[in-house]
Amino acid sequence: MITEYYGVEDNFCEWDYIQGVLKHLDLDDTFKVHVVSVTQEWDYTDKVVLNKDNKNVIIALADEWSTDNIPKAWKDNATVFKAYLKPEQETGSVHSFPLGFNKKHQKLPNKPMKTRPTDVFFAGHASSTNRVHYLRWVVEYFQDMPKSKRPVLDFNISKGFNMGLDGFEYSRKMHNAKIVVCPAGNVSMETFRHYEAMRSGAIVVSPRLPQTKIYKDAAICQVDEWEYTVGDTIMDLLSDLDMLQLVKDQQDSDYNTRYSVKAVADYICSKL
C-alpha cells in the first residue's frame, strides 16, 4: 500500500487515529491511499493526483461544513471516504468516514459504571453559536435543579478549541465519568468527543447525528428534542446503574466493531 498526504501532517488533530487506521489496512501495493484535507480553510483537493496504475482510495478530512465538494474524477476513479458526510452525499463510491479521536485523548483502563465517581462530564469550548445553543440546555437544567438532587457533575468550559484541560487530565476525567455530554461542534453535530467518550467507555449523550451508514442503528444515546429532553434523559440513565452498565456494554461492543481503528480499517476494506 502506498500512502500520500495532502495538507495532513503530524500536527493534525486526527493524526494518531488515521495512523492507527492505516496500520490495520490489509492492502497490497496495487492500492494507493490519499489522505487529504478538504476543509474550506485548507483545501488540498487540487493537489491530489490519482494514479492510473493503482486502485485509488481517498480519505477526505476536516470539512465540518459537510460541503458537497467531491470532484467527479474522484467519484469515477477512486473509492472515497469522507468525514462529516451528509446522508444524501453518501452515494456510489463515496462513503462516510468516522471522525475518530483527537490525538490529545489517551486510552486508559475501561472502568465499570459503578466505580466511576463522576456522573456527568463535559470539557470543551463554548465559543461558537452552535456549541452554546446545545450546551446551554444541559447547564441550565442542572443549575435549576436543587443541589441536593444534582448528580456529581464535572463541567470544564474553555474559551476555545484545545484550550482547556491537558490531554492526560481530559482523558482521566473522561474515563472516570459515567456519562459524557456531547453537544454539537462548531458547525456539525459530529465531534471528536463522541469517539473519545466511546473509547473511554463512558455513555455518550448526543443530539441526533446524521443518519449515514456509520451512525445508523448506533448504540450512541441520541436525543431528539434536545432542548426539552436532554436533562431528563441523563437523569433517567443515572437512575439505574445496572441498566446503565448494560447500555455501556452495548456501546463498548459497538465501538469495538464499528469505530475503533481496526473496525474502521475493516470497514474501508469491505467497500473496496
Side-chain angles (χ1 to χ4, degrees):
M1 180 181 76
I2 304 165
T3 306
E4 292 280 352
Y5 298 93
Y6 311 83
V8 179
E9 301 175 347
D10 60 4
N11 62 346
F12 221 67
C13 292
E14 302 97 314
W15 180 259
D16 291 350
Y17 163 68
I18 293 297
Q19 294 309 302
V21 172
L22 295 176
K23 179 181 177 181
H24 285 91
L25 279 180
D26 186 20
L27 301 177
D28 60 34
D29 287 343
T30 64
F31 286 88
K32 186 170 184 179
V33 179
H34 309 262
V35 184
V36 53
S37 170
V38 296
T39 188
Q40 295 178 11
E41 296 89 347
W42 299 284
D43 186 359
Y44 286 77
T45 304
D46 293 342
K47 303 296 183 182
V48 177
V49 178
L50 300 180
N51 192 327
K52 295 180 180 180
D53 296 326
N54 292 101
K55 301 170 187 175
N56 292 281
V57 179
I58 293 175
I59 299 176
L61 303 174
D63 178 27
E64 192 176 353
W65 294 90
S66 301
T67 314
D68 190 9
N69 59 356
I70 301 299
K72 186 176 185 301
W74 291 10
K75 296 179 180 179
D76 293 343
N77 300 290
T79 306
V80 182
F81 299 89
K82 185 176 184 286
Y84 297 111
L85 204 66
K86 293 180 180 179
E88 61 269 23
Q89 297 168 353
E90 192 174 34
T91 60
S93 63
V94 179
H95 307 280
S96 50
F97 184 73
L99 296 190
F101 49 87
N102 190 312
K103 63 181 181 179
K104 72 181 281 186
H105 184 261
Q106 301 177 31
K107 184 69 182 78
L108 303 173
N110 189 335
K111 301 176 181 178
M113 278 293 151
K114 290 184 178 180
T115 67
R116 293 175 176 241
T118 302
D119 291 322
V120 188
F121 173 73
F122 172 80
H125 72 80
S127 58
S128 71
T129 301
N130 205 38
R131 170 63 56 77
V132 169
H133 172 75
Y134 283 92
L135 186 58
R136 63 168 288 200
W137 299 103
V138 183
V139 173
E140 290 180 1
Y141 179 88
F142 289 115
Q143 282 179 339
D144 293 341
M145 180 182 288
K147 289 184 179 180
S148 61
K149 295 184 178 181
R150 280 182 201 163
V152 180
L153 306 175
D154 187 356
F155 283 14
N156 306 261
I157 299 176
S158 61
K159 295 181 179 180
F161 181 67
N162 272 349
M163 293 177 62
L165 302 171
D166 64 41
F168 176 76
E169 191 65 7
Y170 174 78
S171 305
R172 185 187 68 82
K173 286 176 175 285
M174 191 168 277
H175 282 82
N176 280 334
K178 296 180 181 75
I179 291 173
V180 172
V181 179
C182 295
N186 290 335
V187 181
S188 170
M189 289 295 175
E190 300 179 68
T191 71
F192 295 130
R193 187 175 291 98
H194 290 89
Y195 296 88
E196 293 157 358
M198 285 191 285
R199 192 175 183 229
S200 303
I203 301 300
V204 173
V205 173
S206 166
R208 179 67 58 182
L209 292 163
Q211 291 302 288
T212 54
K213 292 175 185 176
I214 60 172
Y215 294 122
K216 190 174 182 179
D217 301 321
I220 297 169
C221 180
Q222 301 179 56
V223 179
D224 294 313
E225 298 184 323
W226 176 270
E227 295 89 341
Y228 308 105
T229 62
V230 61
D232 289 340
T233 298
I234 291 171
M235 294 305 294
D236 286 347
L237 287 168
L238 291 172
S239 67
D240 185 339
L241 289 188
D242 290 330
M243 181 58 67
L244 191 62
Q245 181 65 45
L246 293 177
V247 175
K248 168 182 162 48
D249 292 343
Q250 184 177 4
Q251 186 186 268
D252 286 348
S253 175
D254 214 32
Y255 180 78
N256 290 331
T257 57
R258 297 178 70 169
Y259 304 118
S260 67
V261 290
K262 184 180 186 307
V264 174
D266 291 343
Y267 161 73
I268 290 174
C269 290
S270 73
K271 302 298 182 184
L272 300 179

